[in-house]
Amino acid sequence: MKQATFKAFLLLCLIFIICTLAFVSSQDQKKKDEKEEKEIKVEKVIILNPEDQETNLDDLPEDLRSKIKEILEKAKQGNSLIDIINQNENVGINTEKTFTKTNEDKISLPQKTSEMKEVKILDIQSPSDYSAFMEEQDTIESKVTKKNNIKLRRRLIAERVNKILERRDRNKKPNVNEEVITEKLLLARNHLDPDLDNYDPEEVKRAIEIYEEVISEEPHNDIALFNLGTVYKTDKFGVRDFAKSKMYFLLAAWNGNSASQFEVATFYSNNLINDKDMANVKSYMLKKFGKYEEMDFKNQRIYSSIDEKVNHENNEPTAITNLVYSSLDGHLNSHIALGYRYLFGHGVPKSCRTSAYYYNLAADLVSSEFEDGKSPVVEHVRLTDEVAIQNKQSQDDVMKYYEYSASKGSSSSKLIVGYATMYGIRGFDQNGELARRLFEQAADAGEVEAYGALGNMYWKGLGGVTQNNETAFKYFKKGAERKDPSSQNGLGYMYMNGASDEDGKFVLEKDYTLAAMYFNKSAFAGNSEGQYNLGMLYLNGLGVTKSFKQAHHYFAISAQQGQVLSKYQLAKIYLYGLGTSKNCEIAVKFLKSVVEKASWTNIVDTAFDKYVDAEDQHTALILYQQAAEQGLEVAQANVAFMYDRGYGVEEIINDVSEEQGQLIKFKGALKWYQQAAEQGNVEAYVKVGDYYYYGTSALSSSLPSIANTEQSFEKSVYFYRRAKEMNNAQAMFNLGFMHEHGKGLPQDFYLAKRYYDMASESDHLAYFPVILALGKLYAHWGYSLVKDSLLHLIRKEGSEEKEVIQHNTPVVDEDESSIIDSIADYEDYLLALLVGGLLLLVFVRHLIITNQAYMDRRRRRAREIQNQEQQNVDNVQ
């Protein structure tokens, strides 16, 4: 029975499969028939060109193919396809733009701009001016004939091109209004000469009035808006108003000013833009340009796009947008800021290649600053380093000493003061004539380096000295004969580039072989400039056999001495893989080092001066923020330090509550300490760990009346461990403390002791704190053992009582919890007792030592008196 049922089931399955296959086959055939019908209806489009081959027309009907061949033959003789078809209406081809014949092909004729006689192509300077007119959307679909369609297109294109040409001619003509505005901007600039240290309030007031007049006449003049933002930004002009400064910078940025876009990006990155600033912009626009309906189209768009509520939780997208637009306009600081952001992934995806792209743009812009071998003297002082601050403040005294020593005849001091006066650094005004005299006196006194300095002055025209190649060659020759590396490098440089005077009396032909010889001598003596120049010869194969390996070698040893251009060339070598494998990470490090040596970092020096004066710490904070935005680690640490201490933040938090103000300071300090830590600042790692351990109360300027927030033991452990990996004793001590008390880490007295010992071994200054911590640890350890034993006994007795009572419901032993709480309270008392005992021991030891010293002095005095009396007796006898 079972076997018969199984056979019947198999038969049914077979029938079902056959029916299914038949149905699928019928459907496939139906689809195939429909497809063939569609293919019959599809029109084939053929583009006719004179270069077409006859074999391309084989699939056309015979009568149509012969007519097309006739047209192509005439086209090959130089006639236009359009003219041929227009003149041969009897060929049987419909010349409408779109036409359909049953079972026939459609022909689409190419239209050449050269055939449109109304359009004067020669008058158009750039293809981009007319290429857009040929796009498909400009084609007018109609049922007119091809001839009428072409004429219509010609007329439309001609009209649009003529409008462009008229607008271009109009732009070429000088605009009287623009000339007046330009004159006003120049006049305002004369009132605010950037080279002055002090400004007349009346001059500043007049300049502000002129800028406001310019904005009234030309509402979108971004230069006037930017300059007003700069005037109100700092105390330099005596009219600081940070709210007005932000307002003008915002307007200038929205009008396309790249420098203002960088300023605004810095403001957003540091949460300095608030709702009140947006309200100020709207109020100013209404007052300056009238009601919304009276504004021009651009101002209406700006006004309507202003957000009344600023998203303080996520300002990064706005900051990045401003940086990107500023960078597209070629702004140096925005290139650097974007390079830094992509390097570490701040607000953008982390990408070494993108970072290299932006840093490379910036390095190309600043590399010319180092062509004369002079690196800007910018000392990056950390505000936490009191010794460095004192040293920087005493530099003037040091230079005064050198100046005095030079006046007394010291040749080495004359050399130092000569460099300072030649470049106008170290507090000296630039004075080329004084520098020349000092160098000559130093050379006469035997300072061979002075010959190289004199040669460079005349070769490059430094310090205001008139350039004279013959004199430069003479000094370089004298120095090279005395084996001065700087003179040898200068001589090689002259041979490498050749030299001549305007009168033609002195001509020095290029000689790469001699250049290589002198560069080699200078490089062998350790001169970084000579090493760089020799590397350039090997890189380009001038005077020596081309060798990327040798070029890399000399660039590397020169870069170790701080030669900026050598770092620039090494970056290119690693970026493009010249003689070595590509390495984006190394290339970016060199590029970052190059741009951070450029003159823009002078703002760090200015910020330090403002901080030390203590009268304008707000400006110091803003300048440090700009440098920090560009990835300068010292500036980032200094910004965090100022937020932590509450320096210069008054104008930032004056419109918020005390709680919000403390949170702004905390987040600002935390952000910049984290970014400084990413760049290897170990103290910053410890500070970030402290912030997460203590929360907002970790701020030096915190208010005890405000609740503590932002606390996270787990995050603090991460940062302490990173600092511990960098051998920081404080981080090791903190990890030991956390293991001892079980905060963020499991309580483990063995590991706590291990970390305390590591801290003592890493830094001898940690010895005494570690001794105290170990004493407390042992007491805590013993107390913990006693507490655990008592709790164990209490739990054991409680469990025995529960077994005797035998209740169905669980019984809560209130005595046990109270005993646990009372035992826990003893931990604080134990700590106080331990510290008090240690202090008592120290005090007793101090008394014993003091008393012993007092008794020693008395005995010594008694012996001296006794000896004196004995001497007197001997004298009498």
Side-chain angles (χ1 to χ4, degrees):
M1 183 68 182
K2 292 182 179 179
Q3 188 174 4
T5 303
F6 179 73
K7 289 181 178 179
F9 176 76
L10 289 178
L11 181 61
L12 289 174
C13 290
L14 182 61
I15 294 171
F16 176 79
I17 291 171
I18 292 172
C19 292
T20 303
L21 291 174
F23 176 79
V24 171
S25 177
S26 64
Q27 292 294 322
D28 290 342
Q29 184 63 33
K30 183 178 180 180
K31 290 181 180 180
K32 186 175 180 181
D33 295 338
E34 291 176 355
K35 185 176 180 181
E36 289 178 355
E37 291 177 3
K38 289 182 180 179
E39 289 177 353
I40 293 173
K41 295 180 181 179
V42 171
E43 299 172 350
K44 187 172 183 180
V45 179
I46 300 176
I47 305 298
L48 291 186
N49 290 300
E51 294 78 16
D52 282 348
Q53 302 295 326
E54 296 182 1
T55 55
N56 296 338
L57 308 174
D58 292 339
D59 56 346
L60 296 178
E62 181 64 30
D63 57 338
L64 183 61
R65 184 165 65 248
S66 61
K67 294 176 182 178
I68 292 175
K69 286 181 179 180
E70 182 181 351
I71 293 174
L72 290 177
E73 288 294 332
K74 293 182 179 180
K76 290 180 181 180
Q77 297 174 5
N79 297 320
S80 169
L81 287 172
I82 296 176
D83 295 337
I84 295 170
I85 293 179
N86 290 340
Q87 294 172 4
N88 295 275
E89 296 180 355
N90 58 350
V91 295
I93 299 177
N94 194 338
T95 58
E96 291 183 1
K97 175 168 178 62
T98 57
F99 73 99
T100 305
K101 281 189 177 182
T102 307
N103 296 329
E104 287 189 10
D105 296 294
K106 181 175 78 173
I107 301 175
S108 177
L109 299 175
Q111 301 174 14
K112 299 181 180 180
T113 54
S114 60
E115 297 170 357
M116 301 180 183
K117 299 178 182 179
E118 289 84 357
V119 182
K120 298 180 180 180
I121 302 298
L122 297 177
D123 295 335
I124 301 176
Q125 297 180 2
S126 172
S128 60
D129 293 332
Y130 64 89
S131 59
F133 303 153
M134 301 303 295
E135 294 176 356
E136 186 176 355
Q137 60 264 28
D138 289 332
T139 303
I140 300 177
E141 299 290 346
S142 64
K143 295 183 179 180
V144 297
T145 61
K146 186 74 175 181
K147 185 184 298 184
N148 294 335
N149 195 343
I150 291 174
K151 288 181 179 180
L152 180 61
R153 289 191 62 193
R154 288 174 180 174
R155 182 172 59 81
L156 291 174
I157 293 174
E159 289 177 358
R160 295 179 66 177
V161 172
N162 288 333
K163 287 181 180 180
I164 287 182
L165 296 176
E166 289 175 4
R167 185 164 63 249
R168 181 173 296 169
D169 293 337
R170 187 167 59 249
N171 292 336
K172 289 179 180 179
K173 297 177 181 179
N175 192 317
V176 177
N177 187 42
E178 289 182 0
E179 291 181 355
V180 172
I181 288 175
T182 303
E183 290 177 0
K184 289 184 177 181
L185 291 175
L186 292 174
L187 179 60
R189 186 183 182 281
N190 292 333
H191 287 295
L192 299 178
D193 188 350
D195 295 330
L196 298 178
D197 294 327
N198 299 310
Y199 295 88
D200 184 1
E202 293 298 325
E203 296 285 324
V204 175
K205 182 179 179 182
R206 178 57 186 149
I208 293 174
E209 291 174 353
I210 294 173
Y211 285 135
E212 291 289 358
E213 290 176 7
V214 170
I215 296 172
S216 298
E217 296 177 14
E218 189 179 351
H220 307 293
N221 192 294
D222 59 292
I223 298 176
L225 291 168
F226 170 76
N227 288 341
L228 281 172
T230 305
V231 168
Y232 287 113
K233 179 181 175 182
T234 67
D235 268 342
K236 181 177 181 179
F237 302 99
V239 291
R240 176 162 65 89
D241 189 329
F242 193 49
K244 280 188 176 181
S245 176
K246 289 188 286 185
M247 178 186 72
Y248 285 115
F249 279 136
L250 283 167
L251 285 169
W254 292 333
N255 280 283
N257 186 276
S258 59
S260 296
Q261 287 165 347
F262 173 74
E263 296 277 354
V264 170
T266 304
F267 293 155
Y268 274 108
S269 178
N270 291 276
N271 285 321
L272 302 183
I273 301 293
N274 52 42
D275 300 341
K276 187 176 180 180
D277 296 322
M278 295 303 181
N280 288 341
V281 174
K282 281 194 167 185
S283 176
Y284 175 83
M285 293 184 71
L286 290 174
K287 181 179 179 182
K288 194 75 175 177
F289 310 123
K291 296 181 181 179
Y292 177 81
E293 295 78 11
E294 300 173 358
M295 298 179 187
D296 60 22
F297 177 71
K298 189 172 183 179
N299 272 334
Q300 285 181 346
R301 291 189 64 183
I302 292 174
Y303 186 88
S304 60
S305 64
I306 297 175
D307 295 327
E308 295 183 358
K309 294 293 183 182
V310 178
N311 182 11
H312 293 285
E313 297 299 325
N314 190 16
N315 278 330
E316 286 295 281
T318 309
I320 294 168
T321 301
N322 279 278
L323 287 176
V324 169
Y325 278 109
S326 178
S327 175
L328 289 173
D329 200 32
H331 194 260
L332 169 65
N333 304 99
S334 297
H335 290 331
I336 300 172
L338 286 172
Y340 168 72
R341 282 179 173 270
Y342 277 102
L343 180 60
F344 290 97
H346 293 309
V348 294
K350 189 175 181 179
S351 171
C352 181
R353 294 183 63 182
T354 310
S355 175
Y357 168 76
Y358 283 110
Y359 271 129
N360 194 36
L361 290 176
D364 291 342
L365 291 175
V366 303
S367 60
S368 60
E369 296 183 17
F370 314 107
E371 291 297 335
D372 62 352
K374 169 182 171 286
S375 299
V377 182
V378 180
E379 296 189 11
H380 304 321
V381 180
R382 299 183 186 276
L383 300 183
T384 54
D385 191 346
E386 296 180 359
V387 176
I389 293 175
Q390 293 175 358
N391 291 339
K392 185 171 179 63
Q393 290 175 306
S394 63
Q395 282 183 1
D396 293 340
D397 296 333
V398 174
M399 294 308 298
K400 286 179 181 178
Y401 164 76
Y402 282 125
E403 188 176 14
Y404 171 79
S405 180
S407 66
K408 294 297 182 181
S410 173
S411 59
S412 59
S413 297
K414 289 179 180 178
L415 201 59
I416 294 172
V417 177
Y419 279 118
T421 54
M422 180 172 68
Y423 291 116
I425 59 176
R426 302 288 189 181
F428 285 89
D429 295 329
Q430 192 173 37
N431 189 332
E433 183 61 27
L434 176 59
R436 183 188 62 79
R437 291 200 306 268
L438 290 171
F439 287 142
E440 288 179 348
Q441 294 172 9
D444 294 338
E447 293 287 344
V448 295
E449 186 181 346
Y451 289 109
L454 286 166
N456 277 309
M457 286 188 71
Y458 284 102
W459 166 244
K460 300 170 183 176
L462 300 176
V465 174
T466 304
Q467 185 181 17
N468 190 310
N469 292 326
E470 185 176 5
T471 306
F473 184 80
K474 179 185 68 175
Y475 281 118
F476 282 146
K477 195 72 174 177
K478 287 183 178 180
E481 292 172 354
R482 291 166 176 78
K483 298 183 179 180
D484 171 46
S486 178
S487 298
Q488 292 169 339
N489 173 68
L491 207 56
Y493 202 88
M494 293 190 75
Y495 276 116
M496 181 175 69
N497 294 279
S500 63
D501 284 339
E502 294 181 358
D503 55 8
K505 294 181 179 180
F506 174 78
V507 177
L508 185 69
E509 298 293 339
K510 290 184 180 180
D511 192 328
Y512 294 119
T513 303
L514 282 176
M517 181 189 72
Y518 282 111
F519 285 149
N520 189 54
K521 290 181 178 180
S522 179
F524 185 76
N527 184 273
S528 62
E529 295 296 318
Q531 292 161 351
Y532 164 74
N533 288 324
L534 186 58
M536 289 299 296
L537 291 183
Y538 276 109
L539 186 66
N540 297 294
L542 302 175
V544 292
T545 303
K546 188 173 183 177
S547 172
F548 290 130
K549 183 177 180 180
Q550 288 286 8
H552 178 277
H553 168 73
Y554 285 108
F555 288 147
I557 59 177
S558 177
Q560 289 177 353
Q561 301 184 60
Q563 218 286 336
V564 181
L565 289 178
S566 292
K567 295 179 181 180
Y568 177 67
Q569 295 299 334
L570 284 172
K572 299 289 187 180
I573 286 175
Y574 282 107
L575 192 61
Y576 301 115
L578 303 178
T580 184
S581 58
K582 292 183 180 180
N583 193 316
C584 180
E585 288 74 17
I586 295 178
V588 168
K589 287 181 180 179
F590 280 121
L591 290 171
K592 187 174 186 292
S593 177
V594 170
V595 299
E596 290 181 357
K597 293 293 184 182
S599 58
W600 68 267
T601 57
N602 287 328
I603 61 174
V604 177
D605 203 30
T606 305
F608 175 79
D609 293 337
K610 296 293 183 181
Y611 171 81
V612 172
D613 292 342
E615 296 179 358
D616 191 12
Q617 291 189 342
H618 167 78
T619 300
L621 179 62
I622 296 300
L623 294 178
Y624 275 135
Q625 284 175 338
Q626 288 185 349
E629 185 67 27
Q630 297 172 75
L632 201 61
E633 183 271 321
V634 174
Q636 292 172 343
N638 289 347
V639 170
F641 173 81
M642 295 188 72
Y643 269 115
D644 179 80
R645 300 296 178 91
Y647 297 150
V649 299
E650 295 81 7
E651 294 191 35
I652 298 174
I653 64 175
N654 58 1
D655 295 328
V656 299
S657 64
E658 289 185 348
E659 184 176 355
Q660 289 177 327
Q662 179 155 310
L663 193 60
I664 287 173
K665 291 190 290 183
F666 177 82
K667 288 186 175 180
L670 182 63
K671 170 186 175 179
W672 292 115
Y673 269 136
Q674 280 183 315
Q675 295 197 19
E678 283 180 337
Q679 300 197 65
N681 187 327
V682 63
E683 286 80 11
Y685 273 120
V686 176
K687 289 294 292 186
V688 175
D690 291 343
Y691 282 169
Y692 280 121
Y693 185 88
Y694 295 105
T696 54
S697 62
L699 290 172
S700 301
S701 58
S702 64
L703 300 175
S705 60
I706 299 176
N708 185 32
T709 58
E710 306 294 330
Q711 195 173 19
S712 174
F713 292 142
E714 290 74 15
K715 291 181 180 179
S716 67
V717 169
Y718 168 78
F719 287 99
Y720 284 148
R721 282 177 172 168
R722 292 297 301 271
K724 173 249 178 185
E725 292 171 1
M726 302 172 73
N727 204 34
N728 182 269
Q730 182 66 57
M732 298 173 186
F733 186 93
N734 293 348
L735 288 170
F737 183 87
M738 296 180 78
H739 268 300
E740 179 185 350
H741 295 276
K743 293 184 177 181
L745 291 170
Q747 189 176 45
D748 191 323
F749 295 107
Y750 292 100
L751 282 177
K753 181 182 183 306
R754 180 180 176 185
Y755 278 116
Y756 285 144
D757 291 338
M758 290 171 63
S760 179
E761 294 171 359
S762 299
D763 190 348
H764 67 280
L765 296 177
Y767 176 77
F768 186 71
V770 167
I771 292 298
L772 292 176
L774 286 175
K776 172 180 165 295
L777 173 66
Y778 290 135
H780 189 186
W781 201 340
Y783 158 76
S784 180
L785 292 175
V786 173
K787 182 181 73 172
D788 291 342
S789 300
L790 290 175
L791 292 176
H792 178 70
L793 291 174
I794 293 170
R795 292 192 180 99
K796 185 177 181 180
E797 292 176 359
S799 62
E800 292 176 354
E801 292 178 0
K802 290 175 185 177
E803 291 177 1
V804 174
I805 296 174
Q806 293 181 352
H807 282 293
N808 294 330
T809 57
V811 178
V812 178
D813 195 342
E814 297 180 358
D815 293 337
E816 179 180 342
S817 60
S818 62
I819 292 173
I820 293 173
D821 294 337
S822 62
I823 291 175
D825 291 339
Y826 280 107
E827 185 172 349
D828 295 333
Y829 293 110
L830 182 64
L831 177 60
L833 181 62
L834 176 64
V835 174
L838 290 173
L839 293 175
L840 181 61
L841 289 175
V842 172
F843 178 69
V844 171
R845 177 175 173 78
H846 174 72
L847 288 179
I848 293 173
I849 294 174
T850 304
N851 184 61
Q852 185 176 0
Y854 174 72
M855 295 301 295
D856 289 340
R857 286 197 301 271
R858 289 191 61 181
R859 285 193 293 269
R860 190 164 51 252
R861 180 60 178 165
R863 285 197 299 269
E864 290 177 356
I865 294 173
Q866 185 179 0
N867 293 335
Q868 185 67 30
E869 290 178 352
Q870 183 63 35
Q871 186 176 2
N872 292 338
V873 171
D874 293 339
N875 292 335
V876 171
Q877 293 177 352

